[in-house]
Amino acid sequence: MTVTVRDLIAKHGGLSVSVANLADDADLYAAGLSSFASVQLMLAIEETFDIEFPDRMLNRRSFQSIAAISACVDELTSDRKAA
Amino acid sequence: MNAVGYFTKNRLAERAKRVAAVAATFADAVDAENRFPKEAVEAMKLERLMGVMVPVELGGEGASTAEIADACSILGQSCGASAMIFAMHQIKMSSLVEHGAGSDWHRALMRRICAEQLLMGSATTEAGIGGNMRNSICAIEVEGDRFRLEKNATVISYALECDGIMVTSRAHRDAPSGDQVMTVVMKDQYTLEKTHTWDTLGMRGTRSDGFVFRSEGAAEQILPVPFAEIAAQSMLAHAHILWGALWYGIAADAVNRAHAFVRGEARRNPGVTPPGAVHLAEAMAELQMVKSALLVAIDRYEEAKANPEILGAINYAVDINLLKVAISTKILEVVDKALLITGINGYKNGTPFSLGRHLRDAHSARLMISNDRVLMNTASLITVMKQDASLLG
């Protein structure tokens, strides 16, 4: 899944560096993720994983790093499996 | 009575009213002469308003956002430019208070601001960024424990009159445009080369001239959190609430003048309701909506203040952005209605009902951070946001 998240960041993140060079816990905002791009990224992730970010995840911290995004996606997809 | 006793006995609002009386006396001259409202700002310092937001342990009074907003609205009723200068200073103070508490340098500065009643300015706009303050072209250069920073700032309000300027820039030479920091630079550490003269329709007294800003100082003067966090956690909410409060003040004074006009008409023709009274009722209804929206936003901010999760959430950003758009649009309608009521007496300068300055000052509201830009940003956020249709939340 992290691979998919990385692909989506590469496509929608508008970063100034290559995603391949970023560690999972690297700060995406410091790497150039703008608030506009973060919204585009959220939408792409929602579409790809067929999930919806609840309000509590719609904040800066959820999109701080690849690991943070993956954790959100993980939580939302496992919710679905449980249901 | 010692100074602390004197000021705690005098509520902030009472002190703001005394400043407002001074500001009102010079408001027309400040506007006509396109000059800094030095008398009003001097009065703010005499009333020791500059450091009120600073926590008590650092020499301030720990004033709430509600109290500061109230002071902005009181000042806005007498002089829009003086109120805007006060609001901008307090917005800077909110960033220092919220993000500088963990840094010795910034703590010492807060003590100085209270003791010496320093006025803080801001340089967030830059030539070439298209008005988006969340992007910088200039970068701060840190070598050892020193920094150097040069910025082509198209607007620095009251730059020549303030004691320090808080400047945004990229975090380092290789940082992308959105990776910004904010640095507090004191007057003896910068030079200003004037590039633009502030000669505008309204808000003339803010003297928001353009400058090339060049500075050097100690690296510890850089606020220790990314500017994106400062913007989200303290600046955005304070800017929109405090601006909204002073804009409300401008509109409220326009309605006051219209009200006085209608009362005069009614007294002259007993038994006949003056035609302007209907417009006045409408204007009051609209003013009430502005006030309600503001009070809700203030309450919500005071509640959310301690919770970065709420302040950093998209929903919060959307709501506070829409507050800005709503108030800045609405006050123009209110002032315009007041002008209809007062007629030629409001249109003329130098009458007790004159509304020219109010109307021109109010016109800045939609433009300072253009509503188009705010709406565009908000529109992108709305695409992921989930609408909360509940009344009580």
Side-chain angles (χ1 to χ4, degrees):
Chain A
M1 177 197 48
T2 307
V3 178
T4 318
V5 170
R6 281 178 173 273
D7 286 347
L8 292 171
I9 293 172
K11 202 166 164 195
H12 301 281
L15 301 189
S16 53
V17 294
S18 164
V19 178
N21 296 333
L22 284 177
D24 277 356
D25 61 352
D27 185 338
L28 292 177
Y29 298 106
L33 183 69
S34 68
S35 66
F36 179 76
S38 70
V39 169
Q40 303 313 307
L41 180 59
M42 277 183 205
L43 291 169
I45 290 174
E46 285 192 341
E47 180 71 15
T48 305
F49 293 97
D50 190 24
I51 51 177
E52 250 190 36
F53 288 107
D55 285 343
R56 67 184 164 81
M57 285 184 184
L58 295 181
N59 59 46
R60 212 178 134 71
R61 197 174 299 171
S62 304
F63 282 71
Q64 188 88 40
S65 63
I66 293 166
I69 299 174
S70 302
C72 289
V73 173
D74 205 31
E75 187 185 330
L76 294 172
T77 49
S78 65
D79 279 358
R80 191 172 46 204
K81 277 172 210 149
Chain B
M1 187 188 299
N2 64 17
V4 174
Y6 173 81
F7 289 114
T8 43
K9 257 185 98 83
N10 282 261
R11 287 179 53 238
L12 191 51
E14 297 307 319
R15 288 148 66 190
K17 278 178 194 161
R18 289 194 289 267
V19 176
V22 176
T25 309
F26 295 95
D28 286 333
V30 162
D31 179 54
E33 296 161 22
N34 203 23
R35 69 165 175 85
F36 180 73
K38 56 178 189 294
E39 300 86 354
V41 173
E42 205 45 54
M44 289 172 204
K45 294 181 176 182
L46 278 174
E47 292 289 348
R48 308 201 67 79
L49 295 187
M50 309 323 280
V52 284
M53 207 188 276
V54 172
V56 176
E57 65 268 25
L58 295 177
E61 301 171 40
S64 67
T65 306
E67 288 174 291
I68 307 274
D70 189 35
C72 287
S73 108
I74 290 167
L75 293 171
Q77 289 173 51
S78 59
C79 171
S82 302
M84 183 51 83
I85 291 167
F86 179 74
M88 287 194 277
H89 167 82
Q90 298 299 346
I91 295 161
K92 295 299 105 192
M93 294 311 299
S94 75
S95 297
L96 268 179
V97 170
E98 297 293 326
H99 309 286
S103 136
D104 289 341
W105 193 90
H106 297 97
R107 289 170 68 88
L109 174 64
M110 283 188 264
R111 284 186 188 282
R112 261 192 76 194
I113 290 172
C114 297
E116 301 169 35
Q117 292 296 299
L118 304 181
L119 175 65
M120 301 302 291
S122 162
T124 51
T125 48
E126 184 175 9
I129 57 164
N132 182 358
M133 66 157 190
R134 292 292 298 279
N135 280 311
S136 286
I137 296 170
C138 67
I140 194 160
E141 290 175 34
V142 178
E143 255 186 53
D145 57 2
R146 303 288 296 169
F147 78 81
R148 274 189 48 193
L149 176 56
E150 176 171 335
K151 180 166 188 162
N152 185 359
T154 43
V155 174
I156 308 180
S157 297
Y158 52 91
L160 298 174
E161 313 289 343
C162 59
D163 302 294
I165 298 179
M166 293 165 68
V167 195
T168 50
S169 65
R170 287 187 292 126
H172 51 88
R173 197 179 314 158
D174 304 316
S177 63
D179 181 14
Q180 296 165 290
V181 289
M182 179 169 241
T183 308
V184 188
V185 192
M186 302 312 288
K187 201 178 187 70
D188 57 2
Q189 299 178 310
Y190 57 75
T191 60
L192 296 166
E193 180 194 329
K194 193 163 161 184
T195 50
H196 300 284
T197 296
W198 180 253
D199 180 6
T200 47
L201 197 59
M203 287 292 178
R204 292 165 66 77
T206 63
R207 295 298 320 168
S208 306
D209 299 314
F211 299 92
V212 175
F213 169 97
R214 295 185 181 91
S215 65
E216 282 183 39
E220 59 185 342
Q221 293 173 232
I222 304 171
L223 277 165
V225 290
F227 178 64
E229 235 168 81
I230 298 174
Q233 304 291 336
S234 63
M235 229 176 108
L236 186 72
H238 275 96
H240 291 338
I241 288 172
L242 300 186
W243 291 348
L246 79 93
W247 294 334
Y248 163 79
I250 293 172
D253 189 55
V255 169
N256 250 340
R257 290 180 180 212
H259 196 173
F261 184 82
V262 168
R263 272 201 309 271
E265 294 269 281
R267 275 199 299 268
R268 272 190 295 280
N269 301 297
V272 183
T273 304
V278 173
H279 283 313
L280 182 63
E282 285 176 339
M284 283 176 164
E286 287 174 5
L287 192 64
Q288 203 173 59
M289 282 165 61
V290 170
K291 183 172 170 171
S292 309
L294 255 176
L295 291 177
V296 169
I298 290 169
D299 264 359
R300 194 160 167 221
Y301 179 75
E302 297 277 17
E303 251 176 61
K305 210 172 186 172
N307 191 340
E309 286 290 315
I310 298 179
L311 292 178
I314 282 184
N315 292 20
Y316 189 79
V318 166
D319 285 358
I320 202 85
N321 281 344
L322 292 181
L323 176 83
K324 191 268 170 182
V325 172
I327 294 184
S328 62
T329 310
K330 207 51 163 174
I331 57 149
L332 261 182
E333 293 170 24
V334 174
V335 179
D336 186 53
K337 223 154 243 164
L339 186 61
L340 277 183
I341 297 162
T342 54
I344 201 73
N345 286 284
Y347 193 65
K348 270 166 74 173
N349 291 324
T351 84
F353 312 107
S354 297
L355 289 171
R357 179 166 48 81
H358 299 70
L359 192 60
R360 288 182 289 104
D361 284 353
H363 263 286
S364 70
R366 292 181 307 179
L367 313 176
M368 61 180 288
I369 307 193
S370 138
N371 278 8
D372 282 351
R373 173 178 301 284
V374 175
L375 282 170
M376 279 297 286
N377 288 344
T378 310
S380 86
L381 298 178
I382 282 173
T383 54
V384 283
M385 189 187 117
K386 317 296 176 285
Q387 165 79 353
D388 176 6
S390 67
L391 182 62
L392 297 180

